[in-house]
Amino acid sequence: MAAAQATRACLALARGDLEGLRDNAEDARAHFAELGDLWGRLKTADLLGRLAEINGDYDRAAQLHRESLRVTQALETWPEMSTKLSGLGRIALLTRRYDEADDLHTRALRLAAEQGNRPAEQFAALGLALSARRQGGLAAAEEWLRPWLDWNRRRGDGPGLALVLAELGFIAEQRGDAARALAHHRDGLTAAPTTRARSPWPSKAWRARTPLAGCPKRAIRLLGTAAATRERAGAPHPPAEQGDVERIATRLRATIDEPTYAREFTLGTRQDHEAQARWRRGGQGHGDRSSGCPTARARPPHAAWSQVPGPTVAVHADASWTGAGVSAARSAVWGPRG
């Protein structure tokens, strides 16, 4: 009974059914506690920790990650130890305790490398990259990210590839390289699995002779779509994860009046991934007349696609949507670099 409920909780997480995840995981956790089953406690603590992190309840998430770490030590399931340390590192990162986050991720990276556990090694390395970028260390962040591009492509890991590309896109944007940032975010959208459409932006890059300058309305709409993506999955953006959005929204608001910003953002929230994909395919180079922005012909995807919806998908798609908006907005504000 408890194991079946834990399995249903895992499936609920994959579907994006956060209520089903919570109900099944909590029931399974209670049953495992009655049985004194440490393995069951470990699995349900992991699930509920993910739920707490999605919902921005970082105190609860840290508590559950620490419990998972203690159970892992008790069971001597050493291959899982690295992931638990990285989980705690992520919470430290989100709560801006960067020294603690770097220490936890470094320990996790070392342990994963010793065990030859490449997925856990990537999880730790990406934590160090996220921390470096948040602290302004763009070169260090890129160094942590680059080795995982080909690794994820070889494995056909869409979500992992999408996260790496989104971060590289933000690095390029913060360096002022709008063209490179847009290319990374576009590829990240191609890699990110979605519910039905292959990508919320399955279009070819705008040609170098068609700069994004003068498209702030389009950028604002993309930010609206990014926000709506997570809202629809039941996983709205927690405040700790809004730094990139706030940065570019501030820049955009400096170039456009507030009523126009609110109107364009609202228009973006009304467009889902499929609608955006159809719009991009239908544009065929004629442009978005409402915003004065060019469109381009559709590009084929270069990665395998998952059909599983859910908050994880929404998070990756949101990062790429936000990044696309950031890249477009940077070009709109400053023009393409070089």
Side-chain angles (χ1 to χ4, degrees), residues 176-205:
D177 190 341
R180 186 179 297 274
L182 184 59
H184 284 316
H185 289 305
R186 186 197 63 237
D187 289 345
L189 284 167
T190 304
T194 60
T195 56
R196 291 170 65 186
R198 284 190 175 122
S199 167
W201 192 349
S203 65
K204 206 172 186 177

CSV table of all heavy atoms in Angstrom, one decimal, residues 176-205:
chain,number,residue,atom,x,y,z
A,176,GLY,N,26.1,41.3,-22.4
A,176,GLY,CA,25.7,42.3,-23.5
A,176,GLY,C,25.7,41.7,-24.9
A,176,GLY,O,25.5,42.4,-25.8
A,177,ASP,N,25.8,40.3,-25.0
A,177,ASP,CA,25.9,39.7,-26.3
A,177,ASP,C,24.5,39.1,-26.6
A,177,ASP,O,24.2,38.0,-26.3
A,177,ASP,CB,26.9,38.5,-26.2
A,177,ASP,CG,27.2,38.0,-27.6
A,177,ASP,OD1,26.3,38.2,-28.5
A,177,ASP,OD2,28.2,37.3,-27.8
A,178,ALA,N,23.6,40.0,-27.1
A,178,ALA,CA,22.2,39.6,-27.3
A,178,ALA,C,22.0,38.5,-28.3
A,178,ALA,O,21.2,37.6,-28.2
A,178,ALA,CB,21.4,40.8,-27.8
A,179,ALA,N,22.8,38.5,-29.4
A,179,ALA,CA,22.7,37.5,-30.4
A,179,ALA,C,23.0,36.1,-29.9
A,179,ALA,O,22.3,35.1,-30.1
A,179,ALA,CB,23.6,37.8,-31.6
A,180,ARG,N,24.1,36.0,-29.1
A,180,ARG,CA,24.5,34.7,-28.6
A,180,ARG,C,23.4,34.2,-27.5
A,180,ARG,O,23.1,33.1,-27.4
A,180,ARG,CB,25.9,34.7,-28.0
A,180,ARG,CG,26.4,33.4,-27.5
A,180,ARG,CD,27.8,33.5,-26.9
A,180,ARG,NE,28.7,34.0,-27.9
A,180,ARG,CZ,29.4,33.1,-28.8
A,180,ARG,NH1,29.1,31.8,-28.7
A,180,ARG,NH2,30.2,33.6,-29.6
A,181,ALA,N,23.0,35.2,-26.7
A,181,ALA,CA,22.0,34.9,-25.7
A,181,ALA,C,20.7,34.3,-26.3
A,181,ALA,O,20.2,33.3,-25.9
A,181,ALA,CB,21.7,36.1,-24.9
A,182,LEU,N,20.3,35.0,-27.4
A,182,LEU,CA,19.0,34.5,-28.1
A,182,LEU,C,19.2,33.1,-28.7
A,182,LEU,O,18.3,32.3,-28.6
A,182,LEU,CB,18.7,35.5,-29.1
A,182,LEU,CG,17.4,35.3,-29.9
A,182,LEU,CD1,16.2,35.2,-28.9
A,182,LEU,CD2,17.1,36.3,-31.0
A,183,ALA,N,20.4,32.9,-29.2
A,183,ALA,CA,20.7,31.6,-29.8
A,183,ALA,C,20.6,30.5,-28.7
A,183,ALA,O,20.0,29.4,-29.0
A,183,ALA,CB,22.0,31.6,-30.5
A,184,HIS,N,21.2,30.7,-27.6
A,184,HIS,CA,21.2,29.7,-26.5
A,184,HIS,C,19.8,29.5,-26.0
A,184,HIS,O,19.3,28.3,-25.8
A,184,HIS,CB,22.1,30.2,-25.4
A,184,HIS,CG,23.5,30.0,-25.6
A,184,HIS,ND1,24.1,28.9,-26.1
A,184,HIS,CD2,24.6,30.9,-25.3
A,184,HIS,CE1,25.4,29.1,-26.2
A,184,HIS,NE2,25.7,30.2,-25.7
A,185,HIS,N,19.0,30.6,-25.8
A,185,HIS,CA,17.6,30.4,-25.3
A,185,HIS,C,16.7,29.7,-26.3
A,185,HIS,O,15.9,28.9,-26.0
A,185,HIS,CB,17.1,31.7,-24.9
A,185,HIS,CG,17.7,32.3,-23.6
A,185,HIS,ND1,17.7,31.6,-22.5
A,185,HIS,CD2,18.3,33.5,-23.4
A,185,HIS,CE1,18.4,32.3,-21.5
A,185,HIS,NE2,18.7,33.4,-22.1
A,186,ARG,N,17.0,30.0,-27.6
A,186,ARG,CA,16.2,29.4,-28.7
A,186,ARG,C,16.5,27.9,-28.7
A,186,ARG,O,15.5,27.0,-28.7
A,186,ARG,CB,16.5,30.0,-30.0
A,186,ARG,CG,15.7,29.5,-31.2
A,186,ARG,CD,16.4,29.8,-32.5
A,186,ARG,NE,17.6,29.1,-32.6
A,186,ARG,CZ,18.8,29.7,-32.9
A,186,ARG,NH1,18.9,31.0,-32.9
A,186,ARG,NH2,19.9,29.0,-33.0
A,187,ASP,N,17.7,27.5,-28.6
A,187,ASP,CA,18.1,26.1,-28.5
A,187,ASP,C,17.6,25.4,-27.2
A,187,ASP,O,17.2,24.2,-27.2
A,187,ASP,CB,19.6,25.9,-28.6
A,187,ASP,CG,20.1,26.2,-30.0
A,187,ASP,OD1,19.3,26.3,-30.9
A,187,ASP,OD2,21.4,26.4,-30.1
A,188,GLY,N,17.5,26.2,-26.2
A,188,GLY,CA,17.0,25.7,-24.9
A,188,GLY,C,15.5,25.4,-25.0
A,188,GLY,O,15.0,24.4,-24.5
A,189,LEU,N,14.8,26.2,-25.8
A,189,LEU,CA,13.4,26.0,-26.0
A,189,LEU,C,13.2,24.7,-26.8
A,189,LEU,O,12.2,24.0,-26.6
A,189,LEU,CB,12.7,27.2,-26.7
A,189,LEU,CG,12.5,28.4,-25.8
A,189,LEU,CD1,12.1,29.6,-26.6
A,189,LEU,CD2,11.3,28.1,-24.8
A,190,THR,N,14.0,24.5,-27.8
A,190,THR,CA,14.0,23.3,-28.6
A,190,THR,C,14.2,22.1,-27.8
A,190,THR,O,13.5,21.0,-28.0
A,190,THR,CB,15.0,23.4,-29.7
A,190,THR,OG1,14.8,24.6,-30.5
A,190,THR,CG2,14.9,22.2,-30.7
A,191,ALA,N,15.1,22.2,-26.8
A,191,ALA,CA,15.4,21.0,-26.0
A,191,ALA,C,14.3,20.7,-24.9
A,191,ALA,O,14.1,19.6,-24.5
A,191,ALA,CB,16.8,21.2,-25.3
A,192,ALA,N,13.7,21.8,-24.4
A,192,ALA,CA,12.7,21.7,-23.3
A,192,ALA,C,11.5,20.9,-23.7
A,192,ALA,O,10.8,21.4,-24.7
A,192,ALA,CB,12.4,23.0,-22.7
A,193,PRO,N,11.1,19.8,-23.1
A,193,PRO,CA,9.9,19.1,-23.4
A,193,PRO,C,8.7,20.0,-23.0
A,193,PRO,O,8.7,20.7,-22.0
A,193,PRO,CB,10.0,17.8,-22.7
A,193,PRO,CG,10.8,18.1,-21.5
A,193,PRO,CD,11.8,19.2,-22.0
A,194,THR,N,7.6,19.9,-23.7
A,194,THR,CA,6.4,20.5,-23.4
A,194,THR,C,5.2,19.6,-23.4
A,194,THR,O,5.4,18.4,-23.8
A,194,THR,CB,6.1,21.7,-24.3
A,194,THR,OG1,6.0,21.2,-25.6
A,194,THR,CG2,7.2,22.8,-24.2
A,195,THR,N,4.1,20.0,-23.1
A,195,THR,CA,2.9,19.1,-23.0
A,195,THR,C,2.5,18.5,-24.3
A,195,THR,O,2.3,17.3,-24.4
A,195,THR,CB,1.7,19.8,-22.4
A,195,THR,OG1,1.4,21.0,-23.2
A,195,THR,CG2,2.0,20.2,-21.0
A,196,ARG,N,2.5,19.3,-25.4
A,196,ARG,CA,2.0,18.8,-26.7
A,196,ARG,C,2.9,19.4,-27.8
A,196,ARG,O,3.4,18.7,-28.6
A,196,ARG,CB,0.6,19.2,-26.9
A,196,ARG,CG,-0.4,18.4,-26.0
A,196,ARG,CD,-1.8,18.9,-26.1
A,196,ARG,NE,-2.4,18.7,-27.4
A,196,ARG,CZ,-3.5,19.1,-27.8
A,196,ARG,NH1,-4.3,19.8,-26.9
A,196,ARG,NH2,-4.0,18.9,-29.0
A,197,ALA,N,3.1,20.7,-27.8
A,197,ALA,CA,3.9,21.3,-28.8
A,197,ALA,C,5.4,20.9,-28.5
A,197,ALA,O,5.8,20.9,-27.4
A,197,ALA,CB,3.8,22.8,-28.9
A,198,ARG,N,6.2,20.8,-29.5
A,198,ARG,CA,7.6,20.4,-29.3
A,198,ARG,C,8.3,21.5,-28.6
A,198,ARG,O,9.2,21.3,-27.8
A,198,ARG,CB,8.3,20.1,-30.6
A,198,ARG,CG,7.9,18.8,-31.2
A,198,ARG,CD,8.8,18.5,-32.4
A,198,ARG,NE,8.5,17.1,-32.9
A,198,ARG,CZ,8.2,16.9,-34.1
A,198,ARG,NH1,8.0,17.9,-35.0
A,198,ARG,NH2,8.0,15.6,-34.5
A,199,SER,N,8.0,22.7,-28.9
A,199,SER,CA,8.7,23.8,-28.3
A,199,SER,C,7.8,25.0,-28.3
A,199,SER,O,7.0,25.3,-29.2
A,199,SER,CB,10.0,24.2,-29.0
A,199,SER,OG,10.4,25.4,-28.6
A,200,PRO,N,7.8,25.8,-27.2
A,200,PRO,CA,7.1,27.1,-27.2
A,200,PRO,C,7.6,28.1,-28.2
A,200,PRO,O,7.0,29.0,-28.5
A,200,PRO,CB,7.2,27.6,-25.8
A,200,PRO,CG,8.3,26.9,-25.2
A,200,PRO,CD,8.5,25.6,-25.9
A,201,TRP,N,8.8,27.9,-28.7
A,201,TRP,CA,9.3,28.8,-29.7
A,201,TRP,C,10.1,27.9,-30.7
A,201,TRP,O,11.4,27.9,-30.7
A,201,TRP,CB,10.3,29.8,-29.1
A,201,TRP,CG,10.6,30.9,-30.0
A,201,TRP,CD1,10.5,31.0,-31.3
A,201,TRP,CD2,11.3,32.1,-29.6
A,201,TRP,NE1,10.9,32.2,-31.8
A,201,TRP,CE2,11.5,32.9,-30.7
A,201,TRP,CE3,11.7,32.6,-28.3
A,201,TRP,CZ2,12.1,34.1,-30.7
A,201,TRP,CZ3,12.4,33.8,-28.3
A,201,TRP,CH2,12.5,34.6,-29.5
A,202,PRO,N,9.5,27.2,-31.6
A,202,PRO,CA,10.2,26.3,-32.5
A,202,PRO,C,10.6,27.0,-33.8
A,202,PRO,O,10.5,26.5,-34.9
A,202,PRO,CB,9.1,25.3,-32.9
A,202,PRO,CG,7.9,26.0,-32.9
A,202,PRO,CD,8.0,27.1,-31.8
A,203,SER,N,11.1,28.3,-33.7
A,203,SER,CA,11.4,29.0,-34.9
A,203,SER,C,12.9,29.1,-35.1
A,203,SER,O,13.7,29.0,-34.2
A,203,SER,CB,10.8,30.4,-34.8
A,203,SER,OG,11.4,31.1,-33.7
A,204,LYS,N,13.3,29.5,-36.3
A,204,LYS,CA,14.7,29.7,-36.6
A,204,LYS,C,15.1,31.0,-36.0
A,204,LYS,O,14.3,31.9,-35.8
A,204,LYS,CB,14.8,29.7,-38.1
A,204,LYS,CG,16.2,29.3,-38.6
A,204,LYS,CD,16.1,29.2,-40.1
A,204,LYS,CE,17.4,28.6,-40.7
A,204,LYS,NZ,17.4,28.5,-42.1
A,205,ALA,N,16.4,31.1,-35.8
A,205,ALA,CA,16.9,32.4,-35.3
A,205,ALA,C,16.7,33.5,-36.3
A,205,ALA,O,16.8,33.3,-37.5
A,205,ALA,CB,18.4,32.3,-35.0
